Amino acid sequence: MLLDIKELSVHYGKARALNGITLHIDAGEIIAIVGANGAGKTTILRTISKLKRPTSGEIRFQNNRIDGMPPHKVAQLGIFQIPAGRMIFTGMSVLDNLKIGAFLRNDRKKINEDLESLYNLFPILKEKQGQMGGELSGGQQQMLAIGRALMARPKLILMDEPSTGLSPILVAGIAETITKINKEGISILLVEQNCRMALNLAKRAYILETGAIALSGEASELIDNDMVKKSYLGG
């Protein structure tokens, strides 16, 4: 088991955001967490990354407990989050944004090799490597955010709403990219409001409602579930 979360609860002040969340990810899986806005999806990712402190419960990564670690130690273990809204450095070049992804590494030769591999995956980033990140389109910025994560050589990518603000054509392209990344052996925890896309990509999925897991199972089965169809797939 790659990631194991047990009975995780999180509060913002007195308000409870997560209530006893239990989920797991095996190596090589794409796991989806879907739910409405405000259900607590992003809070799960922020708590794994240690950007948010849990109230109770535990998080283990490769059987090492990480819920007490500082964020940079979690990153060193191979967990990298791609936040909603991309959060690239708009005033820095594309190339510098990518290099920041490798800030914990000191293997310069392999960093350069990974950069070339990344340019093969996203040729547009090589073409625009000297431009400022803020000059890219929304879809290109999402590619840049994914590329920055890949430069860290992660074992697990936490991906928060990658389809937000993108056209259907670009969403399809991002979905294809997620599949390619996963085939390279990188596990992905995908948080999405686009339930159909998430369930088509994932092996397993968790349906989150008001901070608790309402339903879980194989994604191929959930996509045919009557409750999921009615609530998340437009009937």
Side-chain angles (χ1 to χ4, degrees):
M1 190 177 298
L2 185 69
L3 182 77
D4 188 22
I5 298 174
K6 291 182 178 177
E7 296 296 324
L8 185 68
S9 293
V10 176
H11 287 73
Y12 288 93
K14 294 183 179 180
R16 184 165 57 189
L18 297 178
N19 183 19
I21 297 295
T22 294
L23 61 84
H24 74 276
I25 303 172
D26 291 326
E29 285 189 316
I30 298 176
I31 300 299
I33 301 176
V34 299
N37 190 32
K41 304 184 303 297
T42 295
T43 299
I44 292 176
L45 301 191
R46 288 176 57 83
T47 307
I48 295 170
S49 297
K50 283 311 306 293
L51 300 176
K52 179 65 182 171
R53 184 184 297 274
T55 307
S56 61
E58 65 177 55
I59 305 172
R60 291 184 178 274
F61 183 71
Q62 294 183 318
N63 208 33
N64 296 307
R65 190 162 179 179
I66 65 171
D67 47 275
M69 289 183 178
H72 71 279
K73 291 291 186 181
V74 173
Q76 286 174 349
L77 290 175
I79 300 174
F80 202 101
Q81 182 171 343
I82 302 174
R86 276 79 79 175
M87 300 296 288
I88 63 164
F89 295 97
T90 57
M92 296 176 62
S93 71
V94 168
L95 179 58
D96 285 342
N97 268 274
L98 293 173
K99 286 181 176 179
I100 283 176
F103 76 102
L104 289 174
R105 299 172 57 185
N106 54 20
D107 50 340
R108 180 168 296 183
K109 182 179 178 181
K110 290 184 178 179
I111 289 173
N112 291 333
E113 290 173 356
D114 288 348
L115 188 60
E116 287 306 313
S117 295
L118 186 64
Y119 285 152
N120 287 332
L121 180 64
F122 298 125
I124 191 66
L125 296 185
K126 184 172 185 178
E127 179 182 327
K128 294 180 178 291
Q129 61 182 313
Q131 293 187 20
M132 296 299 102
E135 297 175 358
L136 303 183
S137 68
Q140 291 165 357
Q141 288 187 9
Q142 186 64 68
M143 294 176 194
L144 181 56
I146 293 172
R148 182 176 60 190
L150 292 176
M151 289 300 295
R153 285 204 167 183
K155 297 173 183 175
L156 172 65
I157 292 179
L158 311 176
M159 197 171 287
D160 195 358
E161 305 282 6
S163 72
T164 298
L166 301 183
S167 69
I169 292 176
L170 291 177
V171 169
I174 292 299
E176 183 179 352
T177 297
I178 292 171
T179 299
K180 288 180 180 178
I181 293 170
N182 180 245
K183 286 181 178 178
E184 294 297 320
I186 299 172
S187 302
I188 297 171
L189 181 56
L190 174 65
V191 156
E192 261 295 343
Q193 288 190 60
N194 186 334
C195 185
R196 189 177 301 279
M197 182 191 88
L199 293 181
N200 281 327
L201 286 171
K203 179 181 179 182
R204 293 183 295 108
Y206 296 85
I207 309 298
L208 199 65
E209 293 186 354
T210 58
I213 294 172
L215 199 63
S216 65
E218 296 291 319
S220 59
E221 296 176 0
L222 289 176
I223 205 166
D224 290 324
N225 180 279
D226 288 340
M227 185 275 278
V228 174
K229 285 181 178 179
K230 181 179 180 180
S231 300
Y232 301 102
L233 299 176

